[in-house]
Structures are given as structure tokens and as C-alpha cells.
Amino acid sequence: MAELLSVPDKLALVYQPNSYVRRGPPETCVQMIARNRSAGFATELMLVRARAPLPPGLAVSEALPRFLNRVPWSAVSGIGFRRLDRQFIRRLRQLDPANTVVDVWPGWPSPIIGEARRLGFTIVRTMINSACALSKDILDQAYRNHALAPTHGVTDRLVQAETEELHQYDYIFSPSAEVDRSLAMIGIPDARVIHSSFGWNPARFAASEPAEKAEGRLRFLFVGSVGVRKGVPELLEAWRRAALPDAELLIIGNVEPSYSDEFKAKLPARVVHMPFSMNIGGFYKSADVFVFPSLEEGAPQVVYEAAGCGAAILTTPMGQARMIEPDVNGLVVPPGDVDALTQAIRRLAEDPALLARLKQAAAESAKDFEYPVVAERRAAVLRTLLERRTATDRIAVGA
């Protein structure tokens, strides 16, 4: 083994097998590791490539040379994964397991996990969505319900591979009760599941002005992929049944190709669809209700963002993360239940006092899920895991 290199106190070695473009899971990863230093340990981020500037002061290693930055991801991802794995394993062999935690973010079935275990590192994994074993069952049934061929990409092979992988980690960060449930379903012990959350960045929307809307009209807003997984078919039917004369439903997001024809054919009155908007903060701020009836999630960032921008939240257990409490700062309905969704839409439209209370409560709750706050909590957990490991090593040495 190579000579161990000295590192400042404690170290988090972060594995991020993606391209950083300031959005999606890689951006969440960067935001969530940003407070490690304040918790007393350094961070090294190893990723495939960065196509956008990363925060200053963060030690970063890119697997691909910069001249490949503009090459399409599909053309370089394979070689990028392999280079990242080699570089990560080489770095592991230079470090001391007693003061290093390996922080793995998903995206690629990697051999680094087995090597980290062999070398004796503490390994943590962050879940983005629920475990594939649960999501496949949910999505298969949903596509059958709508007589559509499944296009979700969660195969039996993927379920098996992910389940085997998840059993190799010492600890797993789970961002919601539904993800907890999915981990229990595949036999992950509770003691290895760390309750966590994701967050949102208020600065992203600080300059946004509310988008225009008709005076006196309630605006219900959905943001996300427009398809079966997000519960959009049920949302459209609930909206049709609710038949609100002084309200509109604005849907922002790209339509899933296999659902496109049905979506266009069943678009009710007072529904507007936009495939994309640069002013998403403006639409959040103009919304009275953010409605997100998703069937399968982890902890959707759009819910944090909409709440933080002042919208009342109407969602399902998959969408509530660890933030939305029923009838306290939002409404939660069973997934796929059109009747319950219809009733909740009407309730918010017909009870101005309830709507105002939920809007205020959601905005207040969102403050506790701003990235610096949740990153601080996560960093404290990692620090505790490292201290626990150090204490265990000392006991073993003294035995």
C-alpha cells in the first residue's frame, strides 16, 4: 500500500459520477458538502467533469481532461466513469481509513465500493430516490393503469444490482419516510439508515418577480417531468372534476414521449402547459398552490423551492419529504387517488383562510431546509461517524 498522506484532521472523500452543470443531483451534492469545513473536516470532491464553476475553496478532481468538456455526455460518460474509478481507488490507497469517510453519490455501479470496504473505510451513500425495488413496483402498476408501455427504465436487473450495492454501505442517508420504507423493504437495518433531507437555495430566486396572472384568479402550479411517474394523469382528471371557475393550472415541464398523445388529448379547460421557463422563480412566487401528486420520489427539490417562495403545498407522501406536515404546512393525499386530490384542490380554492395559513406555514418551514442549514446538519453527522470510528479504533488498540 502507498504511504498514507497526512490530511487536515478529518476528510470526506466524495465520489460523484456525473457531470457538474449547476443543477440536478451533482448540484445537490455540491451544496450538501459545502459545510463540511465548518464541522471540522476537509473535503475532496472527485467527479467525472465540471462544465460550470464550482464553489471556491473546494478541492476538486475531474476524471476527464478539460478539452472533453463540450463533448456530449453520451460520448464520454463511459470512459469518464472508468477514469474516475481508477483515480478514486488510487486516492483511497493514499489515505487513512481512521480519519476518512467515503461519501458516495449514485449514478454508476462502481468497483470503488468493494475496494473501500477492503481497505476498511467508513462508507456512506446518499439516496436520491426511493430504492428501485419499490419504485419498479409503483411505476409498473401506474403504467398498466394507463395502458402505456413502461418507459421508466427500472429493470429487474437494475433492482438486483442496486439492492446488492446498498447492502454494502455502512450507512445510508435517506431524505424521506418513503425512502426509509423502501430501504426497509430490501432489508437494510434501521441502524444503518440516517434520516436526512435535501434543501433549496433562496439566492437562486432572490431577483425573481412574480409572473403575471389575472387579477383575482387562483394559480395552481406543477413543475417537473410531465408524465406518469409524477402523477400528471391523475392531476388532470382531478382538475377536470374540481371544475374551478376562477382558477388556473399551470404545468411547466417537458412531456414524457410515451405520454405525449394522451396529455394533449386530455388537457382540461384552464390548463396551460409550458415546456420550459427561465423564470421558474417568478412562477413559484405567483402560485397560490404548488400541486405535486408524484407517485415516486426521494425528496423533490421543487417542493422546497415552491414552499420557500410562498406557495401552499399539495402533494403525496412521496412528495412531502421531511418538510410537509398534513394540515400544518400543506395537504397530503394518497398517491393515485383522484377523488382525494379533487377534494383537496376544492378545499384550497374554497377556504381562503386555510390557503393563507398553509402558505405562511410552508414559507416558514422552508427556512429550515435552506442548503446551509441542511448541509450543516449533514456535516455534523459525518463528523460524528468519523469520531465514532476513531473511538472504536482506540478501543481496539487498547484491548
Side-chain angles (χ1 to χ4, degrees):
M1 182 181 297
E3 180 181 355
L4 298 178
L5 301 183
S6 62
V7 295
D9 191 13
K10 306 292 182 184
L11 174 70
L13 185 63
V14 183
Y15 179 84
Q16 175 52 258
N18 283 291
S19 177
Y20 178 74
V21 291
R22 297 195 70 177
R23 62 176 181 269
E27 172 66 1
T28 297
C29 170
V30 167
Q31 293 287 344
M32 294 295 281
I33 65 177
R35 295 286 167 150
N36 287 356
R37 185 176 297 277
S38 66
F41 59 97
T43 300
E44 292 183 18
L45 172 64
M46 301 186 70
L47 74 170
V48 175
R49 69 180 182 185
R51 297 182 66 182
L54 284 147
L58 181 63
V60 178
S61 173
E62 299 178 44
L64 290 176
R66 285 297 178 91
F67 70 83
L68 293 178
N69 260 11
R70 296 301 165 187
V71 177
W73 178 244
S74 59
V76 298
S77 58
I79 187 174
F81 293 147
R82 292 187 290 273
R83 286 173 63 95
L84 176 63
D85 286 344
R86 288 195 298 270
Q87 293 173 16
F88 199 91
I89 288 173
R90 187 160 57 245
R91 185 63 176 131
L92 282 175
R93 292 170 179 168
Q94 297 172 331
L95 298 172
D96 185 351
N99 67 355
T100 305
V101 61
V102 175
D103 187 359
V104 178
W105 289 70
W108 161 250
S110 171
I112 65 107
I113 304 160
E115 182 66 5
R117 284 179 61 86
R118 187 186 71 80
L119 294 171
F121 287 90
T122 297
I123 318 169
V124 301
R125 160 63 137 84
T126 297
M127 298 296 291
I128 300 296
N129 289 92
S130 59
C132 290
L134 176 60
S135 65
K136 185 177 189 302
D137 288 347
I138 291 171
L139 296 176
D140 281 348
Q141 183 60 54
Y143 277 86
R144 283 194 296 267
N145 290 346
H146 296 285
L148 293 172
T151 57
H152 51 73
V154 185
T155 63
D156 289 332
R157 183 178 179 180
L158 182 59
V159 169
Q160 180 179 350
E162 186 199 57
T163 300
E164 292 174 354
E165 177 196 330
L166 291 175
H167 278 271
Q168 297 183 62
Y169 294 100
D170 297 297
Y171 301 97
I172 299 174
F173 281 107
S174 170
S176 73
E178 291 299 290
V179 176
D180 296 348
R181 179 167 70 92
S182 74
L183 293 172
M185 174 180 168
I186 62 172
I188 303 296
D190 289 344
R192 289 164 56 190
V193 177
I194 300 171
H195 293 176
S196 63
S197 66
F198 293 132
W200 71 293
N201 182 8
R204 183 184 172 200
F205 310 115
S208 299
E209 294 293 332
E212 291 186 8
K213 67 176 179 180
E215 186 176 352
R217 176 170 291 183
L218 285 178
R219 172 169 285 170
F220 287 71
L221 173 68
F222 168 93
V223 176
S225 176
V226 181
V228 172
R229 175 173 169 252
K230 302 291 186 180
V232 174
E234 290 79 12
L235 173 57
L236 294 183
E237 177 58 21
W239 184 260
R240 185 188 65 78
R241 294 185 191 180
L244 304 178
D246 298 317
E248 66 179 6
L249 171 61
L250 179 57
I251 295 178
I252 300 179
N254 295 327
V255 182
E256 178 185 348
S258 66
Y259 174 62
S260 180
D261 291 343
E262 180 179 341
F263 176 70
K264 293 174 184 176
K266 295 186 177 181
L267 210 60
R270 296 177 300 283
V271 176
V272 177
H273 172 241
M274 297 175 57
F276 179 75
S277 173
M278 294 297 292
N279 185 32
I280 195 64
F283 287 110
Y284 283 144
K285 291 180 178 180
S286 73
D288 297 287
V289 179
F290 184 75
V291 55
F292 195 72
S294 186
L295 307 181
E296 191 279 322
E297 292 290 338
Q301 188 174 64
V302 290
V303 172
Y304 301 121
E305 292 175 342
C309 289
I313 304 298
L314 168 54
T315 188
T316 59
M318 281 287 182
Q320 73 183 102
R322 298 196 195 276
M323 184 177 73
I324 301 304
E325 300 178 58
D327 289 301
V328 174
N329 58 1
L331 299 183
V332 179
V333 298
D337 190 331
V338 174
D339 288 339
L341 186 55
T342 303
Q343 292 169 14
I345 289 172
R346 285 176 177 161
R347 185 181 173 196
L348 291 169
E350 295 168 0
D351 191 338
L354 171 67
L355 179 60
R357 177 172 64 81
L358 294 181
K359 290 173 73 170
Q360 182 177 358
E364 191 63 30
S365 297
K367 295 177 182 177
D368 199 39
F369 291 87
E370 294 177 8
Y371 270 134
V373 178
V374 295
E376 199 82 45
R377 290 196 290 259
R378 189 178 193 274
V381 170
L382 289 178
R383 176 78 192 197
T384 299
L385 296 180
L386 285 168
E387 290 173 345
R388 183 184 301 168
R389 167 63 182 267
T390 301
T392 301
D393 287 347
R394 286 174 180 160
I395 291 171
V397 169

